[in-house]
Coordinates of all heavy atoms in Angstrom, one line a residue:
M1 N 45.4 13.9 5.4 CA 44.0 13.4 5.4 C 43.5 13.7 3.9 O 43.7 14.7 3.3 CB 43.2 14.4 6.4 CG 41.8 14.0 6.5 SD 40.8 15.1 7.5 CE 41.6 15.0 9.1
E2 N 42.9 12.6 3.4 CA 42.2 12.7 2.1 C 40.9 13.4 2.1 O 40.1 13.1 3.0 CB 42.2 11.3 1.6 CG 43.5 10.6 1.4 CD 44.3 11.1 0.3 OE1 43.6 11.6 -0.8 OE2 45.5 11.2 0.4
I3 N 40.7 14.2 1.1 CA 39.4 14.9 1.0 C 38.7 14.4 -0.2 O 39.2 14.2 -1.2 CB 39.7 16.4 0.9 CG1 40.5 17.0 2.0 CG2 38.4 17.1 0.7 CD1 39.7 17.4 3.3
C4 N 37.4 14.0 -0.1 CA 36.6 13.5 -1.2 C 36.3 14.8 -2.1 O 36.0 15.8 -1.7 CB 35.1 13.1 -0.7 SG 34.1 12.7 -2.0
P5 N 36.6 14.5 -3.5 CA 36.4 15.6 -4.4 C 35.0 15.9 -4.7 O 34.7 17.1 -5.3 CB 37.1 15.1 -5.7 CG 37.1 13.6 -5.6 CD 37.2 13.3 -4.1
K6 N 34.1 15.1 -4.5 CA 32.6 15.4 -4.7 C 32.1 16.1 -3.6 O 31.3 17.2 -4.1 CB 31.9 14.0 -4.8 CG 32.2 13.3 -6.1 CD 31.5 12.0 -6.2 CE 31.8 11.1 -7.4 NZ 31.1 9.9 -7.5
C7 N 32.2 15.7 -2.3 CA 31.4 16.4 -1.3 C 32.3 17.3 -0.5 O 31.8 18.1 0.3 CB 30.7 15.5 -0.4 SG 31.9 14.4 0.5
G8 N 33.6 17.3 -0.6 CA 34.4 18.1 0.2 C 34.7 17.6 1.6 O 35.5 18.3 2.4
L9 N 34.1 16.6 2.1 CA 34.4 16.1 3.3 C 35.6 15.1 3.4 O 36.0 14.6 2.5 CB 33.1 15.3 3.8 CG 31.9 16.1 4.0 CD1 30.6 15.2 4.2 CD2 31.9 17.1 5.1
P10 N 36.2 14.9 4.6 CA 37.2 13.9 4.7 C 36.7 12.5 4.2 O 35.5 12.3 4.4 CB 37.6 14.0 6.2 CG 37.0 15.2 6.7 CD 35.9 15.5 5.9
E11 N 37.6 11.7 3.8 CA 37.2 10.4 3.3 C 36.5 9.5 4.2 O 35.5 8.8 4.0 CB 38.4 9.5 2.9 CG 39.1 10.1 1.5 CD 38.3 9.9 0.3 OE1 37.4 9.0 0.3 OE2 38.4 10.6 -0.7
Q12 N 36.8 9.6 5.7 CA 36.2 8.8 6.6 C 34.7 9.2 6.8 O 33.9 8.6 7.2 CB 36.8 9.0 8.0 CG 38.3 8.3 8.0 CD 39.3 9.2 7.4 OE1 39.0 10.4 7.1 NE2 40.5 8.7 7.1
A13 N 34.4 10.6 6.5 CA 33.0 11.0 6.7 C 32.3 11.2 5.4 O 31.2 11.8 5.4 CB 33.2 12.5 7.5
C14 N 32.8 10.7 4.3 CA 32.2 11.1 3.0 C 30.7 10.2 2.9 O 30.7 9.1 3.3 CB 33.1 10.4 2.1 SG 32.5 10.6 0.3
V15 N 29.7 10.9 2.4 CA 28.5 10.3 2.3 C 28.0 10.2 0.9 O 26.9 10.0 0.5 CB 27.5 11.3 3.1 CG1 27.7 11.2 4.6 CG2 27.4 12.6 2.6
C16 N 29.0 10.4 -0.1 CA 28.5 10.3 -1.5 C 27.9 8.9 -1.8 O 26.9 9.0 -2.6 CB 29.8 10.6 -2.3 SG 30.5 12.2 -2.1
E17 N 28.5 7.9 -1.5 CA 27.9 6.6 -1.9 C 26.6 6.4 -1.3 O 25.7 5.8 -1.9 CB 29.0 5.5 -1.5 CG 28.6 4.1 -2.0 CD 29.6 3.1 -1.9 OE1 30.8 3.5 -1.8 OE2 29.3 1.8 -2.0
Q18 N 26.4 6.9 0.0 CA 25.1 6.6 0.7 C 24.1 7.3 -0.1 O 22.9 6.9 -0.3 CB 25.2 7.1 2.1 CG 26.0 6.2 3.0 CD 26.2 6.8 4.3 OE1 25.9 7.9 4.6 NE2 26.8 6.0 5.2
I19 N 24.3 8.7 -0.5 CA 23.4 9.4 -1.3 C 23.2 8.9 -2.6 O 21.9 8.7 -3.1 CB 24.0 10.8 -1.5 CG1 24.0 11.6 -0.1 CG2 23.1 11.6 -2.5 CD1 24.8 12.9 -0.2
E20 N 24.2 8.2 -3.3 CA 23.9 7.5 -4.6 C 23.1 6.2 -4.4 O 22.2 5.9 -5.2 CB 25.1 7.2 -5.3 CG 26.0 8.5 -5.8 CD 27.2 8.1 -6.4 OE1 27.5 6.9 -6.7 OE2 28.0 9.0 -6.8
K21 N 23.2 5.6 -3.3 CA 22.5 4.4 -3.2 C 20.9 4.7 -2.9 O 20.2 3.9 -3.3 CB 23.0 3.5 -1.9 CG 24.3 2.8 -2.1 CD 24.8 1.9 -1.0 CE 26.0 1.2 -1.3 NZ 26.4 0.3 -0.3
S22 N 20.7 5.7 -2.1 CA 19.4 6.0 -1.9 C 18.5 6.6 -3.1 O 17.4 6.6 -3.1 CB 19.3 7.1 -0.7 OG 19.7 8.3 -1.2
S23 N 19.3 7.0 -4.2 CA 18.7 7.6 -5.4 C 18.5 6.6 -6.5 O 18.1 6.9 -7.6 CB 19.4 8.8 -5.8 OG 20.8 8.4 -6.2
Q24 N 18.7 5.3 -6.3 CA 18.7 4.4 -7.3 C 17.2 3.7 -7.4 O 16.6 3.8 -6.5 CB 19.6 3.1 -7.0 CG 21.2 3.5 -6.8 CD 21.8 3.9 -8.1 OE1 21.6 3.4 -9.2 NE2 22.5 5.0 -8.0
K25 N 16.9 3.4 -8.6 CA 15.7 2.7 -9.1 C 16.0 1.4 -9.4 O 16.2 1.0 -10.6 CB 14.9 3.4 -10.2 CG 14.5 4.9 -9.7 CD 13.5 5.0 -8.7 CE 13.2 6.4 -8.4 NZ 12.6 6.5 -7.2
I26 N 15.9 0.5 -8.4 CA 16.3 -1.0 -8.7 C 15.1 -1.9 -8.9 O 14.1 -1.7 -8.3 CB 17.0 -1.6 -7.3 CG1 18.3 -0.6 -7.2 CG2 17.4 -2.9 -7.5 CD1 19.1 -1.0 -5.9
K27 N 15.3 -2.7 -10.0 CA 14.3 -3.7 -10.4 C 14.7 -5.0 -10.3 O 15.9 -5.4 -10.6 CB 13.9 -3.3 -11.8 CG 12.6 -4.2 -12.2 CD 12.2 -3.7 -13.6 CE 11.0 -4.5 -14.1 NZ 10.5 -4.2 -15.4
I28 N 13.9 -5.9 -9.7 CA 14.2 -7.3 -9.4 C 13.3 -8.2 -10.3 O 12.0 -8.1 -10.2 CB 14.1 -7.7 -8.0 CG1 15.0 -6.8 -7.1 CG2 14.5 -9.2 -7.9 CD1 14.7 -6.9 -5.6
T29 N 13.9 -9.0 -11.1 CA 13.0 -9.9 -12.0 C 13.9 -11.3 -12.0 O 14.9 -11.5 -11.5 CB 13.0 -9.4 -13.4 OG1 14.3 -9.2 -14.0 CG2 12.3 -8.0 -13.5
T30 N 13.1 -12.2 -12.6 CA 13.7 -13.5 -12.9 C 13.7 -13.8 -14.4 O 12.9 -13.3 -15.1 CB 12.9 -14.6 -12.1 OG1 11.5 -14.6 -12.6 CG2 13.0 -14.5 -10.6
D31 N 14.6 -14.7 -14.8 CA 14.8 -15.0 -16.1 C 15.1 -16.6 -16.1 O 15.6 -17.1 -15.2 CB 15.9 -14.3 -16.7 CG 15.9 -14.4 -18.2 OD1 15.0 -14.8 -18.8 OD2 17.0 -14.1 -18.9
R32 N 14.7 -17.1 -17.2 CA 14.9 -18.6 -17.4 C 16.0 -18.8 -18.4 O 15.9 -18.4 -19.6 CB 13.5 -19.3 -17.9 CG 13.6 -20.9 -17.8 CD 12.4 -21.4 -18.0 NE 11.3 -21.2 -17.0 CZ 11.3 -21.8 -15.8 NH1 12.0 -22.9 -15.6 NH2 10.3 -21.5 -14.9
K33 N 17.1 -19.4 -17.9 CA 18.2 -19.6 -18.7 C 18.2 -21.0 -19.4 O 17.2 -21.7 -19.3 CB 19.5 -19.4 -17.9 CG 19.7 -17.9 -17.5 CD 20.0 -17.1 -18.7 CE 20.3 -15.6 -18.2 NZ 20.7 -14.7 -19.1
R34 N 19.4 -21.4 -19.9 CA 19.6 -22.7 -20.5 C 19.2 -23.9 -19.6 O 19.4 -23.9 -18.4 CB 21.1 -22.9 -20.9 CG 21.4 -23.9 -21.7 CD 22.9 -23.9 -21.9 NE 23.1 -24.0 -23.2 CZ 24.4 -24.1 -23.8 NH1 25.4 -24.0 -23.1 NH2 24.4 -24.3 -25.1
Y35 N 18.5 -24.8 -20.2 CA 18.1 -26.1 -19.5 C 17.0 -25.7 -18.3 O 16.9 -26.5 -17.4 CB 19.3 -26.8 -18.9 CG 20.3 -27.1 -19.9 CD1 21.6 -26.7 -19.8 CD2 20.0 -28.1 -21.0 CE1 22.5 -26.9 -20.7 CE2 21.0 -28.3 -22.0 CZ 22.3 -27.8 -21.9 OH 23.2 -28.1 -22.8
G36 N 16.3 -24.5 -18.5 CA 15.3 -24.4 -17.5 C 15.8 -23.8 -16.2 O 15.0 -23.6 -15.2
K37 N 17.0 -23.4 -16.0 CA 17.5 -22.8 -14.8 C 17.0 -21.4 -14.6 O 16.9 -20.7 -15.5 CB 19.1 -22.7 -14.8 CG 19.8 -24.1 -15.0 CD 19.7 -24.9 -13.7 CE 20.4 -26.2 -14.0 NZ 20.3 -27.1 -12.9
I38 N 16.6 -21.1 -13.4 CA 16.1 -19.8 -13.0 C 17.2 -18.9 -12.5 O 18.0 -19.3 -11.7 CB 14.9 -19.9 -12.1 CG1 13.8 -20.6 -12.7 CG2 14.4 -18.5 -11.6 CD1 12.6 -20.8 -11.7
V39 N 17.1 -17.6 -13.0 CA 18.2 -16.7 -12.5 C 17.5 -15.4 -12.1 O 16.7 -14.9 -12.8 CB 19.1 -16.3 -13.7 CG1 20.2 -15.2 -13.3 CG2 19.8 -17.5 -14.2
T40 N 17.9 -14.9 -10.9 CA 17.3 -13.6 -10.5 C 18.2 -12.5 -11.0 O 19.5 -12.5 -10.8 CB 17.4 -13.5 -9.0 OG1 16.6 -14.7 -8.3 CG2 16.7 -12.3 -8.4
V41 N 17.6 -11.5 -11.6 CA 18.2 -10.4 -12.2 C 18.0 -9.0 -11.6 O 16.8 -8.8 -11.4 CB 17.9 -10.3 -13.8 CG1 18.7 -9.1 -14.4 CG2 18.2 -11.6 -14.5
V42 N 19.1 -8.4 -11.1 CA 18.8 -7.1 -10.4 C 19.4 -6.0 -11.3 O 20.6 -6.0 -11.6 CB 19.5 -7.1 -9.0 CG1 19.4 -5.9 -8.3 CG2 19.3 -8.3 -8.2
T43 N 18.5 -5.1 -11.8 CA 19.0 -4.0 -12.7 C 18.7 -2.7 -12.1 O 17.9 -2.5 -11.1 CB 18.4 -4.2 -14.0 OG1 16.9 -4.1 -13.8 CG2 18.6 -5.5 -14.7
G44 N 19.1 -1.6 -12.8 CA 18.8 -0.3 -12.4 C 19.9 0.5 -11.7 O 19.7 1.6 -11.2
F45 N 21.0 -0.1 -11.6 CA 22.2 0.6 -11.0 C 22.8 1.7 -11.9 O 23.0 1.5 -13.1 CB 23.3 -0.4 -10.6 CG 22.9 -1.5 -9.7 CD1 22.6 -2.7 -10.0 CD2 22.7 -1.3 -8.3 CE1 22.3 -3.7 -9.1 CE2 22.4 -2.1 -7.4 CZ 22.1 -3.4 -7.8
E46 N 23.0 2.9 -11.4 CA 23.5 4.0 -12.2 C 24.6 4.7 -11.3 O 24.6 4.5 -10.1 CB 22.4 4.9 -12.5 CG 21.3 4.4 -13.3 CD 20.2 5.4 -13.5 OE1 20.2 6.5 -12.9 OE2 19.2 5.0 -14.3
G47 N 25.4 5.5 -12.0 CA 26.4 6.3 -11.2 C 27.6 5.5 -10.8 O 28.0 4.5 -11.4
G48 N 28.3 6.0 -9.7 CA 29.5 5.4 -9.5 C 29.4 4.5 -8.3 O 30.2 4.4 -7.3
I49 N 28.4 3.5 -8.4 CA 28.2 2.5 -7.3 C 29.0 1.4 -7.7 O 29.2 1.0 -8.9 CB 26.8 2.2 -7.2 CG1 26.0 3.3 -6.7 CG2 26.5 0.9 -6.4 CD1 24.5 3.0 -6.3
A50 N 29.7 0.8 -6.7 CA 30.5 -0.4 -6.9 C 29.7 -1.7 -7.1 O 29.5 -2.4 -6.2 CB 31.4 -0.6 -5.7
I51 N 29.3 -1.9 -8.3 CA 28.3 -2.9 -8.6 C 28.9 -4.4 -8.4 O 28.3 -5.3 -7.8 CB 27.8 -2.9 -10.1 CG1 27.0 -1.6 -10.1 CG2 26.7 -4.1 -10.3 CD1 26.6 -1.3 -11.6
K52 N 30.3 -4.4 -8.6 CA 31.0 -5.8 -8.5 C 30.9 -6.1 -7.1 O 30.8 -7.3 -6.7 CB 32.4 -5.7 -9.1 CG 32.4 -5.6 -10.6 CD 33.8 -5.7 -11.1 CE 33.9 -5.5 -12.6 NZ 35.2 -5.7 -13.2
Q53 N 31.2 -5.1 -6.2 CA 31.3 -5.3 -4.6 C 29.9 -5.7 -4.2 O 29.7 -6.6 -3.3 CB 31.8 -4.2 -4.0 CG 31.9 -4.4 -2.5 CD 32.9 -5.5 -2.2 OE1 34.0 -5.6 -2.8 NE2 32.6 -6.3 -1.2
I54 N 28.9 -5.1 -4.7 CA 27.5 -5.4 -4.4 C 27.1 -6.8 -4.8 O 26.5 -7.5 -4.0 CB 26.5 -4.4 -5.0 CG1 26.7 -3.0 -4.3 CG2 25.0 -4.9 -4.7 CD1 25.9 -1.9 -5.0
A55 N 27.6 -7.2 -6.0 CA 27.3 -8.6 -6.5 C 28.0 -9.7 -5.6 O 27.3 -10.6 -5.3 CB 27.7 -8.7 -8.0
K56 N 29.1 -9.4 -5.2 CA 30.0 -10.2 -4.3 C 29.3 -10.3 -2.9 O 29.1 -11.5 -2.4 CB 31.4 -9.7 -4.1 CG 32.2 -10.6 -3.3 CD 33.6 -10.0 -3.2 CE 34.5 -11.0 -2.3 NZ 35.9 -10.4 -2.3
D57 N 28.8 -9.2 -2.4 CA 28.1 -9.3 -1.1 C 26.8 -10.1 -1.2 O 26.5 -10.9 -0.2 CB 27.9 -7.9 -0.5 CG 29.2 -7.1 -0.2 OD1 30.0 -7.8 0.0 OD2 29.1 -5.9 -0.2
L58 N 26.1 -9.9 -2.3 CA 24.8 -10.6 -2.5 C 25.0 -12.1 -2.7 O 24.3 -12.8 -2.0 CB 24.0 -10.0 -3.6 CG 23.4 -8.7 -3.4 CD1 22.8 -8.2 -4.8 CD2 22.3 -8.7 -2.3
K59 N 26.0 -12.5 -3.3 CA 26.4 -13.9 -3.4 C 26.6 -14.5 -2.2 O 26.3 -15.6 -1.9 CB 27.5 -14.1 -4.5 CG 27.1 -13.8 -5.9 CD 28.1 -14.2 -6.9 CE 29.5 -13.5 -6.8 NZ 30.4 -13.8 -7.8
N60 N 27.5 -13.8 -1.3 CA 27.9 -14.3 -0.1 C 26.7 -14.5 0.9 O 26.5 -15.4 1.7 CB 29.0 -13.4 0.6 CG 30.3 -13.7 0.0 OD1 30.6 -14.7 -0.6 ND2 31.1 -12.7 0.1
R61 N 25.8 -13.4 0.9 CA 24.7 -13.4 1.8 C 23.5 -14.3 1.4 O 22.8 -14.9 2.3 CB 24.1 -12.0 1.9 CG 25.0 -11.0 2.6 CD 24.4 -9.6 2.5 NE 25.3 -8.5 3.0 CZ 25.0 -7.8 4.1 NH1 23.8 -7.9 4.5 NH2 25.8 -6.9 4.5
L62 N 23.4 -14.5 0.1 CA 22.3 -15.5 -0.4 C 22.9 -16.9 -0.7 O 22.0 -17.8 -1.0 CB 21.7 -14.9 -1.6 CG 21.0 -13.6 -1.4 CD1 20.5 -12.9 -2.7 CD2 19.7 -13.7 -0.4
A63 N 24.2 -17.0 -0.4 CA 24.8 -18.4 -0.6 C 24.5 -19.0 -2.0 O 23.9 -20.1 -2.2 CB 24.4 -19.5 0.5
C64 N 24.9 -18.3 -3.1 CA 24.5 -18.7 -4.4 C 25.6 -18.2 -5.3 O 26.5 -17.5 -4.9 CB 23.2 -18.1 -5.0 SG 23.0 -16.4 -5.1
G65 N 25.7 -18.6 -6.4 CA 26.7 -18.2 -7.6 C 25.9 -17.1 -8.2 O 24.7 -16.9 -8.1
G66 N 26.8 -16.4 -9.1 CA 26.2 -15.3 -9.9 C 27.3 -14.5 -10.5 O 28.4 -14.9 -10.5
T67 N 26.9 -13.4 -11.3 CA 27.8 -12.8 -12.0 C 27.2 -11.2 -12.1 O 26.2 -10.9 -11.9 CB 28.1 -13.3 -13.4 OG1 29.1 -12.5 -14.1 CG2 26.8 -13.3 -14.4
Y68 N 28.2 -10.4 -12.6 CA 27.9 -8.9 -12.9 C 28.1 -8.8 -14.4 O 29.3 -9.2 -14.9 CB 28.7 -8.1 -12.1 CG 29.0 -6.8 -12.7 CD1 28.0 -5.8 -12.7 CD2 30.2 -6.3 -13.3 CE1 28.2 -4.5 -13.3 CE2 30.3 -5.2 -13.9 CZ 29.4 -4.3 -13.9 OH 29.6 -3.0 -14.6
K69 N 27.1 -8.3 -15.1 CA 27.4 -8.0 -16.5 C 26.3 -7.0 -17.0 O 25.2 -7.0 -16.7 CB 27.3 -9.4 -17.3 CG 26.2 -9.6 -18.3 CD 26.5 -10.9 -19.0 CE 25.9 -12.1 -18.4 NZ 25.6 -13.2 -19.3
D70 N 26.9 -6.1 -17.8 CA 26.0 -5.0 -18.4 C 25.2 -4.2 -17.4 O 23.9 -4.1 -17.6 CB 25.1 -5.5 -19.5 CG 25.8 -6.4 -20.6 OD1 27.0 -5.9 -20.9 OD2 25.3 -7.2 -21.2
N71 N 25.8 -3.8 -16.3 CA 25.1 -3.0 -15.3 C 24.0 -3.8 -14.6 O 22.9 -3.2 -14.2 CB 24.7 -1.6 -15.7 CG 25.8 -0.6 -15.6 OD1 26.9 -0.9 -15.0 ND2 25.6 0.4 -16.2
A72 N 24.0 -5.1 -14.7 CA 23.0 -6.0 -13.9 C 23.7 -7.1 -13.2 O 24.8 -7.5 -13.6 CB 22.2 -6.5 -15.0
I73 N 23.1 -7.4 -12.2 CA 23.6 -8.6 -11.3 C 22.7 -9.8 -11.6 O 21.5 -9.7 -11.5 CB 23.7 -8.3 -9.8 CG1 24.6 -7.1 -9.5 CG2 24.1 -9.4 -9.0 CD1 24.5 -6.5 -8.2
E74 N 23.4 -11.0 -11.9 CA 22.5 -12.2 -12.2 C 22.9 -13.1 -11.0 O 24.1 -13.4 -10.8 CB 22.8 -12.8 -13.5 CG 22.4 -11.9 -14.7 CD 22.6 -12.6 -16.0 OE1 23.2 -13.8 -16.0 OE2 22.2 -12.1 -16.9
L75 N 22.0 -13.5 -10.3 CA 22.2 -14.6 -9.2 C 21.5 -15.8 -9.5 O 20.4 -15.9 -10.1 CB 21.7 -14.0 -7.9 CG 22.2 -12.7 -7.5 CD1 21.5 -12.2 -6.3 CD2 23.7 -12.9 -7.0
Q76 N 22.2 -17.0 -9.3 CA 21.6 -18.3 -9.7 C 20.5 -18.6 -8.6 O 20.7 -18.6 -7.5 CB 22.7 -19.4 -9.6 CG 23.7 -19.1 -10.7 CD 24.9 -20.1 -10.5 OE1 25.0 -20.9 -9.5 NE2 25.7 -20.2 -11.5
G77 N 19.3 -19.0 -9.1 CA 18.2 -19.3 -8.3 C 17.2 -18.2 -8.2 O 17.3 -17.1 -8.6
D78 N 16.0 -18.5 -7.5 CA 14.9 -17.5 -7.4 C 15.0 -16.9 -6.1 O 14.8 -17.6 -5.0 CB 13.6 -18.2 -7.5 CG 12.5 -17.3 -7.5 OD1 12.7 -16.0 -7.4 OD2 11.3 -17.7 -7.8
H79 N 15.5 -15.7 -6.0 CA 15.8 -15.1 -4.6 C 15.0 -13.8 -4.5 O 15.3 -12.9 -3.7 CB 17.3 -14.7 -4.6 CG 18.2 -15.8 -4.6 ND1 18.4 -16.7 -3.5 CD2 19.1 -16.3 -5.5 CE1 19.2 -17.7 -3.8 NE2 19.6 -17.4 -5.1
R80 N 13.9 -13.7 -5.2 CA 13.1 -12.5 -5.1 C 12.6 -12.1 -3.7 O 12.5 -10.9 -3.3 CB 11.8 -12.7 -6.1 CG 12.2 -12.5 -7.5 CD 10.9 -12.7 -8.4 NE 10.5 -14.1 -8.3 CZ 9.6 -14.7 -8.8 NH1 8.7 -13.9 -9.7 NH2 9.2 -16.0 -8.8
K81 N 12.2 -13.1 -2.8 CA 11.7 -12.9 -1.5 C 12.7 -12.5 -0.6 O 12.5 -11.6 0.2 CB 11.0 -14.2 -1.1 CG 9.9 -14.6 -1.8 CD 9.3 -15.9 -1.2 CE 8.1 -16.3 -2.0 NZ 7.5 -17.6 -1.6
K82 N 14.1 -12.8 -0.8 CA 15.1 -12.4 0.2 C 15.9 -11.3 -0.2 O 16.5 -10.7 0.6 CB 16.0 -13.6 0.3 CG 15.3 -14.9 0.9 CD 16.3 -16.1 1.0 CE 16.3 -16.8 -0.3 NZ 17.1 -18.0 -0.3
I83 N 16.0 -11.0 -1.5 CA 16.9 -10.1 -2.0 C 16.7 -8.6 -1.6 O 17.5 -7.7 -1.3 CB 17.1 -10.1 -3.5 CG1 18.4 -9.5 -3.9 CG2 16.0 -9.5 -4.3 CD1 18.9 -10.0 -5.3
K84 N 15.4 -8.2 -1.5 CA 15.0 -6.8 -1.2 C 15.6 -6.6 0.3 O 16.1 -5.5 0.5 CB 13.6 -6.6 -1.1 CG 13.1 -5.2 -0.8 CD 11.6 -5.0 -1.1 CE 11.3 -3.6 -0.9 NZ 9.9 -3.3 -1.1
K85 N 15.4 -7.5 1.3 CA 15.9 -7.3 2.7 C 17.5 -7.1 2.5 O 18.0 -6.3 3.4 CB 15.5 -8.5 3.5 CG 15.9 -8.5 4.9 CD 15.2 -9.5 5.7 CE 15.8 -10.8 5.3 NZ 15.4 -12.0 6.1
E86 N 18.1 -8.0 1.9 CA 19.6 -7.8 1.7 C 20.0 -6.6 1.1 O 21.1 -6.0 1.6 CB 20.1 -9.0 0.9 CG 19.9 -10.5 1.5 CD 20.4 -10.6 3.0 OE1 21.5 -10.0 3.3 OE2 19.9 -11.3 3.8
L87 N 19.4 -6.1 0.0 CA 19.7 -4.8 -0.5 C 19.5 -3.6 0.5 O 20.4 -2.7 0.5 CB 19.0 -4.6 -1.7 CG 19.3 -5.3 -3.0 CD1 18.3 -5.2 -4.2 CD2 20.7 -4.9 -3.5
V88 N 18.6 -3.7 1.3 CA 18.3 -2.7 2.3 C 19.5 -2.7 3.4 O 19.9 -1.7 3.9 CB 16.9 -2.9 3.1 CG1 16.8 -2.0 4.2 CG2 15.8 -2.6 2.1
K89 N 19.9 -3.9 3.7 CA 21.1 -4.1 4.6 C 22.4 -3.5 4.1 O 23.2 -3.1 4.7 CB 21.3 -5.6 5.0 CG 20.3 -6.2 5.9 CD 20.7 -7.7 6.2 CE 19.6 -8.3 7.0 NZ 20.0 -9.7 7.3
L90 N 22.4 -3.5 2.7 CA 23.6 -2.9 2.1 C 23.5 -1.4 1.9 O 24.5 -0.9 1.5 CB 23.8 -3.6 0.7 CG 24.2 -5.1 0.7 CD1 24.4 -5.6 -0.6 CD2 25.7 -5.1 1.3
G91 N 22.4 -0.8 2.3 CA 22.3 0.6 2.3 C 21.4 1.2 1.3 O 21.3 2.4 1.1
F92 N 20.7 0.3 0.6 CA 19.7 0.9 -0.4 C 18.4 1.2 0.2 O 18.0 0.7 1.2 CB 19.5 -0.1 -1.5 CG 20.8 -0.3 -2.4 CD1 21.7 -1.3 -2.2 CD2 20.9 0.6 -3.5 CE1 22.8 -1.4 -3.0 CE2 22.1 0.5 -4.3 CZ 23.0 -0.5 -4.1
D93 N 17.7 2.3 -0.3 CA 16.4 2.7 0.2 C 15.3 1.6 -0.2 O 15.3 1.3 -1.4 CB 16.1 4.0 -0.4 CG 14.8 4.6 0.3 OD1 14.5 4.2 1.4 OD2 14.1 5.6 -0.3
A94 N 14.5 1.3 0.8 CA 13.5 0.2 0.5 C 12.5 0.6 -0.6 O 11.9 -0.2 -1.2 CB 12.9 -0.3 1.8
D95 N 12.2 1.9 -0.5 CA 11.2 2.4 -1.4 C 11.6 2.4 -2.9 O 10.8 2.3 -3.9 CB 10.7 3.7 -1.0 CG 10.1 3.9 0.3 OD1 9.4 2.8 0.7 OD2 10.1 4.9 1.1
S96 N 12.9 2.5 -3.1 CA 13.5 2.5 -4.5 C 13.6 1.1 -5.1 O 14.1 1.0 -6.2 CB 14.8 3.2 -4.4 OG 15.8 2.4 -3.7
I97 N 13.3 0.0 -4.3 CA 13.4 -1.3 -4.8 C 12.2 -1.8 -5.2 O 11.3 -2.0 -4.4 CB 14.1 -2.2 -3.8 CG1 15.4 -1.7 -3.3 CG2 14.2 -3.6 -4.3 CD1 16.1 -2.3 -2.1
G98 N 12.0 -2.2 -6.5 CA 10.7 -2.7 -7.0 C 10.8 -4.1 -7.5 O 11.9 -4.6 -7.8
D99 N 9.7 -4.7 -7.6 CA 9.7 -6.1 -8.1 C 9.4 -6.2 -9.5 O 8.7 -5.4 -10.0 CB 8.8 -6.9 -7.2 CG 9.2 -7.1 -5.8 OD1 10.5 -7.0 -5.5 OD2 8.3 -7.2 -4.9

């Protein structure tokens, strides 16, 4: 049985990632890229959160393209209205997500 080095609980009962997700201060903005294309930018991720996996999940849930770069997730299109609900489904605290 594997033991988590951070919390000392077995890997199946580890709550480290949930604690880290609830302590994030996430900011959602839009940016205008080349040729007038709009991109939704999600920033504020810190610590040992798997940002690449979160980016992949958001792209699948929102049916769009995107990338992860410089501790930020860029999603093609304007998803400000839908992204907060999807981040809450992924385990982030609704109060820590700002627009």
